[in-house]
Amino acid sequence: MSNQKPLVIITAHAHQVLKDTFEEKGYEVLYQPEITYDMLSEIVHNAHGLIVTTRIKIDKAIIDKATNLKWIGRLGSGMELIDTAYAQIKGVRCESSPEGNRNAVGEHVLGMILSLMNNISYSFDEIKLGKWNRDTNRGIELSGKTVGIIGYGNTGSSFAKLLSSFNVTVLAYDKYKFGFAKGYIREAGFEQVCRYSDVISFHVPLTEETRHMANETFFNSLSQRPFFVNACRGGVMDAAALINALAQDKIAGAGLDVLENERIDSMSNLQLGQLRFLTSHPRVLITPHIAGYSHEAFLKMSTVILEKLKI
């Protein structure tokens, strides 16, 4: 009988507690945060478990080669890079840990909104150029506004909770969730969110149904010239439609933590041109997919996945 320890491959940067706990529980751990798809393909047949983020696609080909695989643990939320349906057919359990970074996403989104509404980032850029403009950088208060939330799962509900002290009305739309309205939080249809919101924030997973959900039709339906925020997945937003909305003044500003292609060195000429437009726009704020990546979330995502896998 073999005494070989079951192997866990960690394919992305993770908190040390993850590796330490696996080893304490008798696993061999291969910590390869820079591993490529091809490198993983060569060694995945030995894996008992995989820990992944958004770096590598776990598709049918990988799963077929992973003949000893029992589970896949996703640090964070969003399972779009994992063929979960095929994994289930092959008897591979899939778990994610959106509870670990939902508060971090909510705080980041709130920070983006407050920065945009009060010209915090833009006025600082002006000061660096020796400009001290008070009147043109006069802010707008969030208090008393209507905030639309598209998707009321872990991050959408956490963001709504953070808004409790701002005297706002939250209009939340979720196609698959009902019965969550309470106090300042109201359930609404997609059209109502577009019609009445002063701020709209997206919190949906990336699926065939949600891809380019924020498209020309969406932006053309907006009535209040709202601030637009996307910190879920870049593919949820059509960049060309967003640029048109900014150019036609249909939105007051945009806060983006995600892009459809987040590898700048592999962007097409079109994508580079879109990025140049957005980064030079005075009412746009972009961060490098860090909304759910706080120091606290970095730890919590690991502890949550360990709990779910019952390690």
Side-chain angles (χ1 to χ4, degrees):
M1 192 171 178
S2 174
N3 292 321
Q4 187 174 2
K5 295 178 179 179
L7 174 66
V8 174
I9 303 175
I10 300 175
T11 69
H13 291 283
H15 195 280
Q16 185 66 34
V17 71
L18 195 65
K19 181 175 184 293
D20 291 347
T21 303
F22 279 128
E23 290 177 341
E24 288 169 8
K25 298 295 183 177
Y27 289 87
E28 178 187 351
V29 178
L30 185 60
Y31 183 66
Q32 292 285 327
E34 306 298 333
I35 196 170
T36 65
Y37 178 93
D38 290 338
M39 291 165 60
L40 182 61
S41 294
E42 293 177 5
I43 61 173
V44 74
H45 63 278
N46 292 317
H48 175 95
L50 288 177
I51 296 292
V52 301
T53 55
T54 55
R55 287 191 59 253
I56 295 176
K57 192 168 187 176
I58 307 300
D59 56 13
K60 184 177 182 291
I62 287 279
I63 294 170
D64 279 338
K65 290 181 179 179
T67 52
N68 294 302
L69 194 63
K70 298 294 184 290
W71 51 259
I72 300 169
R74 160 75 163 100
L75 295 177
S77 60
M79 305 288 271
E80 68 272 8
L81 290 182
I82 304 171
D83 192 335
T84 53
Y86 190 66
Q88 185 176 16
I89 291 171
K90 300 291 282 188
V92 177
R93 180 180 167 204
C94 297
E95 296 284 358
S96 62
S97 56
E99 303 87 349
N101 67 348
R102 60 188 176 188
N103 188 67
V105 173
E107 288 192 8
H108 192 93
V109 168
L110 179 57
M112 282 190 136
I113 291 167
L114 294 175
S115 180
L116 286 166
M117 296 182 82
N118 292 283
N119 296 311
I120 292 172
S121 178
Y122 181 67
S123 61
F124 181 44
D125 286 340
E126 285 193 333
I127 290 170
K128 286 185 240 181
L129 298 174
K131 300 177 182 179
W132 190 270
N133 297 324
R134 295 186 69 207
D135 286 340
T136 56
N137 285 305
R138 193 189 302 269
I140 301 168
E141 293 184 18
L142 181 57
S143 178
K145 301 299 189 293
T146 297
V147 179
I149 297 177
I150 307 294
Y152 202 73
N154 279 287
T155 63
S157 59
S158 291
F159 172 49
K161 184 178 178 182
L162 290 173
L163 293 169
S164 62
S165 63
F166 281 88
N167 187 34
V168 298
T169 297
V170 169
L171 298 181
Y173 165 75
D174 194 307
K175 186 175 180 180
Y176 301 100
K177 196 171 182 180
F178 307 95
F180 54 80
K182 185 178 181 181
Y184 63 96
I185 300 169
R186 302 175 186 175
E187 294 177 43
F190 188 77
E191 297 79 10
Q192 290 173 304
V193 172
C194 294
R195 182 180 300 174
Y196 298 111
S197 298
D198 302 295
V199 175
I200 298 179
S201 183
F202 274 73
H203 297 268
V204 294
L206 180 60
T207 65
E208 287 307 309
E209 189 174 34
T210 63
R211 185 175 295 279
H212 288 186
M213 191 178 189
N215 54 20
E216 288 282 358
T217 301
F218 163 76
F219 288 111
N220 288 337
S221 71
L222 303 178
S223 299
Q224 303 298 324
R225 192 174 168 266
F227 290 90
F228 169 82
V229 181
N230 183 19
C232 56
R233 289 292 182 269
V236 168
M237 175 197 74
D238 180 348
L242 171 68
I243 288 170
N244 285 338
L246 286 163
Q248 296 169 21
D249 210 30
K250 292 179 179 178
I251 56 175
L256 311 174
D257 183 56
V258 288
L259 299 173
E260 194 151 15
N261 181 2
E262 295 177 357
R263 297 179 179 177
I264 294 177
D265 59 355
S266 70
M267 283 185 172
S268 65
N269 288 333
L270 173 63
Q271 290 170 333
L272 285 170
Q274 290 173 337
L275 183 61
R276 280 193 295 270
F277 176 92
L278 292 170
T279 54
S280 63
H281 199 286
R283 294 184 281 113
V284 174
L285 187 60
I286 303 178
T287 52
H289 203 152
I290 55 173
Y293 207 53
S294 69
H295 289 285
E296 292 83 358
F298 195 55
L299 169 60
K300 284 190 283 187
M301 285 188 291
S302 288
T303 57
V304 167
I305 205 66
L306 288 167
E307 290 168 6
K308 288 190 173 182
L309 292 171
K310 295 180 169 58
I311 298 301

